[in-house]
Amino acid sequence: MQQKYAKVVGGSGDTTQGATATYQDNLYLAINGEWLKTAQIPADKTSTGGFSDLALNIEKTLMQDFADFAAGNKVPANDLLTTAVKFYQVAADFKRRNQEGFKPAQAGYESIKNLTSFQSWQQQLPKWLQQGYPLPFNLGIDADMKDTSKNVVYAAAPGLILPDTTYYHDNASGEQLLKIYQQVAVQLLVKIGESEADAQEITQQALQFDRSLVDYVKSAEEQADYVQMYNPQKMTAFASQGGQIDFASLINQAVNDEVKQVIVTEPRFFKHFAELVNDQTFQQLKNWTLVQYVFNCSSLLSQDFREIAGQYSLALRGNQELSAPVKQAYNLTSATFSEVIGQYYGEEYFGHKAKADVEQMIHKMISIYQRRIKNNTWLGTATKEKAIVKLDKMVLKIGYPTKVNQLYQQFKVDPQQSLLSNMREIDRLIIADNFAKYHRPVDRNEWAMPGHMVNACYDPSRNDITFPAAILQAPFYSLQQSASENYGGIGAVIAHEISHGFDNNGAQFDEFGNMNNWWTDEDYATFKQLTQAMIDEFEGLDFAGGKVNGKLVVSENVADAGGLSCALEAAKDEPDADLKEFFINWARIWRTKSTQQLMEMYLSIDVHAPAPLRANVQAQNMDDFYTTFGITSKDGMWLAPEKRVNIW
């Protein structure tokens, strides 16, 4: 339930057209300026560049494989992959989907529309919770942040229509997006059969309910400090905030046990919950549920429903068109059977020689990190010893899991049923399994990312690092690249994830992933000063017509800085070190071109700084960058030594 996976990528990139520069004035543009002149964002995508181009190539490869599986030209490797192919065939049958229209979702729509009172809505909660219907709260099971051997109940606020609370306050884009959302919702409701007047009324009330939540849910900046999501409350105290809703009974029934404590991620929201959800707000709540339900179902229905509902996502993210039907069928399958497909990708396309080479790079990086901590000038001996213990205990997950989650064995696909019905049954199994985790110990063998995802992450609650097979290729890594290039690419990514164990969030978790203060007071005070310097370095930087929020992106910036400096030291240890190649590939991996809408959204919600700033500012913090490229105080990339931020 808590936001805990610290990823390596997420931030949007520069859309500068035709800009070029020297290494001394702008490293990012010196490497990527010519590329930016001609780079084209695919019509159904929101960005192009290093990470997204690799993902696009993998998508094309696996789409062809699934087309071959479906046509009988290729045989799935196992029963789980066979089930995934059956699901793909149902999803790709747009002839049937178009014939069915809204019919698969009609019964669910009517069950909401026919509610006559707040009490009748309450009666549906146990069933709707298990079926994944829209609810004005979220309940689920995850590891206890202070005892990560056991699973506990978490309670969170629902999502908003707009990406972040900042979109609701004097924000022209937010106002425009709400208008588009309203227009799209009315179109959907009219298509279902509502009159224009009723559709307008339903949508207006849905928007009113959404707006009533804004002042009480956390902003992206608040969510970025995920230690603050740990707020244990006794069940009696938590349930007393539910007003007319019996949270205790609802939760106990969901987990089939008597729960004594709930971890509340957003206490402000639940403090005001009874004011938001009650008899007086029932009509707004009901219509909010109706509109949310229709939007959620639309992507699983006919092409015309997809296209109507998709108008909002296109406006939000800036892509020119929706993905083609067959691509949507694959992507839906990929998301639903992620571990199964990730395992297939790893076995089919991942080189074991590359895995062994990357694994030794990781161990080298950890040893360098240990050396850097031992030589650290601002940490005391006691804190250093604890930090090294944490490094020693880090768990490495490289490539793909050899065993996928047993839950996939339960997934069944009925070709006689609609896509929506099959998806609902799979969702029901996923939700039931999540609540069943309350009775199981935490499974530390779970992977946070599938093998075909182009990304990497660190999980502070498990103290583990995941490097999917998909990212272990050029420009990040290649046996054909020099060691310096590889360290500027995958080496910096590896060290970035290690650094997350010691960013402003990860530093508050011990070697077992438990939230536990292992610092001396003096050392932690110094660490906070250094992280504040990182906040200040990025705060207010101009990008895409907006300003960077230093607090929002601080954890990723700490990881970037630590990762780059550690990888730089590793590269310098190589006999054929070439620091120009190192910094050039560092800038190359952040090559990104994104839509204006995506850049604006990421400035508000993403914990990663924009890609060009990651490339440039972190390089500016490295003394070796200046000597490598002969940068002086007269150059655009110059940053005075006293302003360079180095933590790890």
Side-chain angles (χ1 to χ4, degrees):
M1 291 289 293
Q2 68 269 31
Q3 176 193 348
K4 61 181 181 179
Y5 297 122
K7 304 175 184 178
V8 71
V9 68
S12 58
D14 200 348
T15 57
T16 304
Q17 294 287 343
T20 56
T22 64
Y23 299 126
Q24 291 77 15
D25 284 329
N26 189 313
L27 175 67
Y28 179 81
L29 288 180
I31 305 306
N32 303 309
E34 289 299 321
W35 173 83
L36 284 165
K37 290 179 182 179
T38 57
Q40 297 292 320
I41 302 171
D44 63 344
K45 302 293 185 182
T46 56
S47 62
T48 188
F51 286 85
S52 51
D53 287 354
L54 283 183
L56 181 61
N57 290 335
I58 291 168
E59 181 185 68
K60 288 178 179 177
T61 298
L62 292 176
M63 278 184 67
Q64 183 60 56
D65 286 351
F66 267 79
D68 289 341
F69 288 141
N73 299 327
K74 199 170 184 178
V75 179
N78 54 56
D79 291 343
L80 294 181
L81 193 57
T82 298
T83 304
V85 173
K86 287 181 180 178
F87 182 88
Y88 167 79
Q89 290 172 310
V90 172
D93 188 356
F94 268 85
K95 180 178 179 181
R96 175 180 174 174
R97 288 173 64 174
N98 291 338
Q99 288 174 343
E100 290 173 336
F102 192 69
K103 185 178 178 182
Q106 190 69 46
Y109 184 80
E110 295 297 333
S111 70
I112 302 169
K113 187 179 178 182
N114 291 336
L115 296 175
T116 58
S117 66
F118 187 66
Q119 184 178 11
S120 64
W121 176 82
Q122 289 176 267
Q123 292 169 352
Q124 299 296 319
L125 291 182
K127 181 175 70 174
W128 284 358
L129 180 62
Q130 297 288 349
Q131 294 178 342
Y133 272 57
L135 297 174
F137 54 85
N138 285 308
L139 298 173
I141 310 300
D142 208 340
D144 187 319
M145 291 168 71
K146 285 201 171 181
D147 181 3
T148 54
S149 65
K150 68 178 184 181
N151 285 308
V152 293
V153 176
Y154 280 80
L160 299 172
I161 289 172
L162 296 180
D164 185 47
T165 57
T166 55
Y167 271 70
Y168 290 84
H169 305 292
D170 298 322
N171 187 306
S173 294
E175 293 176 10
Q176 181 63 21
L177 284 169
L178 284 177
K179 288 179 182 177
I180 294 171
Y181 185 92
Q182 181 175 359
Q183 293 167 2
V184 171
V186 170
Q187 288 181 54
L188 288 170
L189 292 170
V190 169
K191 186 167 181 61
I192 291 168
E194 301 289 354
S195 69
E196 177 77 24
D198 286 347
Q200 290 284 1
E201 178 65 19
I202 290 169
T203 303
Q204 283 284 3
Q205 293 197 3
L207 290 169
Q208 288 170 6
F209 185 78
D210 174 73
R211 185 61 184 83
S212 73
L213 308 178
V214 172
D215 292 338
Y216 306 110
V217 302
K218 285 187 174 181
S219 66
E221 180 186 317
E222 291 174 301
Q223 290 173 349
D225 186 359
Y226 56 71
V227 170
Q228 296 302 317
M229 293 189 175
Y230 191 77
N231 302 282
Q233 294 183 8
K234 291 183 178 179
M235 176 60 85
T236 50
F238 174 70
S240 68
Q241 300 170 105
Q244 295 167 268
I245 295 179
D246 187 350
F247 272 128
S249 176
L250 185 64
I251 292 172
N252 291 342
Q253 185 175 341
V255 302
N256 193 29
D257 204 343
E258 187 173 346
V259 177
K260 303 293 186 182
Q261 179 178 268
V262 175
I263 311 301
V264 181
T265 65
E266 302 200 33
R268 183 173 69 232
F269 173 77
F270 284 100
K271 181 180 179 181
H272 293 275
F273 183 83
E275 304 167 24
L276 302 169
V277 181
N278 53 53
D279 275 320
Q280 288 70 42
T281 64
F282 164 68
Q283 203 61 42
Q284 291 182 2
L285 169 63
K286 170 185 167 179
N287 289 323
W288 173 86
T289 308
L290 269 179
V291 173
Q292 293 279 322
Y293 174 84
V294 172
F295 267 97
N296 292 349
C297 291
S298 291
S299 64
L300 303 172
L301 300 173
S302 55
Q303 181 65 9
D304 50 2
F305 271 97
R306 273 193 74 212
E307 290 175 352
I308 294 172
Q311 294 175 68
Y312 177 66
S313 63
L314 294 178
L316 178 64
R317 303 178 67 85
N319 41 317
Q320 299 172 41
E321 62 186 37
L322 296 178
S323 60
V326 67
K327 185 179 286 191
Q328 192 235 10
Y330 161 73
N331 285 323
L332 185 61
T333 306
S334 176
T336 307
F337 290 83
S338 60
E339 285 190 30
V340 175
I341 296 174
Q343 184 187 57
Y344 165 74
Y345 173 82
E347 292 176 345
E348 188 77 5
Y349 297 105
F350 185 46
H352 291 283
K353 185 178 180 182
K355 179 178 179 179
D357 193 42
V358 170
E359 191 164 359
Q360 69 84 20
M361 285 180 69
I362 295 172
H363 287 294
K364 179 177 180 179
M365 212 69 69
I366 289 175
S367 68
I368 288 175
Y369 227 101
Q370 290 174 332
R371 186 170 76 204
R372 291 174 71 86
I373 287 175
K374 287 177 181 177
N375 295 332
N376 184 289
T377 58
W378 58 269
L379 282 178
T381 302
T383 308
K384 286 182 181 182
E385 290 174 351
K386 290 286 190 179
I388 290 171
V389 168
K390 184 171 184 178
L391 280 169
D392 288 338
K393 294 287 186 180
M394 275 188 180
V395 176
L396 309 180
K397 296 175 179 178
I398 307 167
Y400 59 94
T402 55
K403 292 184 179 180
V404 302
N405 194 314
Q406 288 294 313
L407 178 62
Y408 288 102
Q409 300 282 356
Q410 299 180 40
F411 287 11
K412 307 297 179 190
V413 177
D414 185 351
Q416 304 305 312
Q417 295 294 318
S418 68
L419 172 61
L420 180 64
S421 295
N422 278 287
M423 192 74 249
R424 287 282 187 234
E425 178 58 20
I426 289 173
D427 284 342
R428 185 191 66 78
L429 291 169
I430 293 171
I431 293 168
D433 180 71
N434 179 256
F435 283 121
K437 285 182 178 180
Y438 184 76
H439 298 279
R440 305 198 298 258
V442 172
D443 182 1
R444 291 183 176 268
N445 294 318
E446 287 182 345
W447 281 52
M449 291 178 171
H452 62 308
M453 178 177 284
V454 184
N455 213 325
C457 69
Y458 172 78
D459 181 354
S461 292
R462 283 178 166 84
N463 194 29
D464 71 10
I465 307 173
T466 303
F467 299 102
I471 198 174
L472 303 177
Q473 54 184 311
F476 300 94
Y477 170 82
S478 172
L479 291 169
Q480 281 69 54
Q481 291 181 169
S482 70
S484 293
E485 287 177 294
N486 281 337
Y487 278 116
I490 197 64
V493 171
I494 291 167
H496 169 104
E497 300 306 341
I498 295 171
S499 296
H500 271 308
F502 307 96
D503 69 20
N504 58 305
N505 286 315
Q508 300 182 68
F509 293 79
D510 64 21
E511 68 270 25
F512 301 109
N514 296 319
M515 195 164 77
N516 177 29
N517 181 16
W518 46 272
W519 296 69
T520 65
D521 291 343
E522 182 180 2
D523 287 348
Y524 197 72
T526 303
F527 176 67
K528 288 188 71 174
Q529 290 176 357
L530 291 169
T531 56
Q532 183 60 51
M534 186 65 76
I535 291 171
D536 295 341
E537 184 172 41
F538 278 80
E539 178 66 30
L541 292 180
D542 293 322
F543 188 77
K547 302 283 187 182
V548 174
N549 180 341
K551 288 184 179 179
L552 177 64
V553 298
V554 61
S555 64
E556 294 295 333
N557 285 335
V558 171
D560 274 349
L564 187 60
S565 61
C566 185
L568 178 60
E569 185 166 335
K572 290 164 68 175
D573 280 352
E574 294 293 317
D576 57 348
D578 185 331
L579 297 193
K580 281 192 175 181
E581 289 186 349
F582 174 87
F583 283 111
I584 286 171
N585 205 37
W586 163 255
R588 184 181 292 119
I589 66 172
W590 299 118
R591 171 179 294 179
T592 314
K593 190 173 188 177
S594 302
T595 64
Q596 176 66 29
Q597 293 90 334
L598 186 72
M599 290 190 291
E600 182 177 343
M601 181 171 71
Y602 277 2
L603 272 179
S604 296
I605 68 171
D606 193 15
V607 293
H608 304 82
L613 299 182
R614 297 178 79 169
N616 280 348
V617 178
Q618 298 300 352
Q620 288 177 296
N621 287 328
M622 304 294 116
D623 291 343
D624 282 312
F625 173 68
Y626 296 85
T627 55
T628 299
F629 292 101
I631 296 168
T632 70
S633 58
K634 297 178 181 179
D635 297 317
M637 287 294 292
W638 175 262
L639 185 65
E642 67 273 12
K643 293 184 178 180
R644 299 170 196 171
V645 182
N646 285 283
I647 301 177
W648 299 113

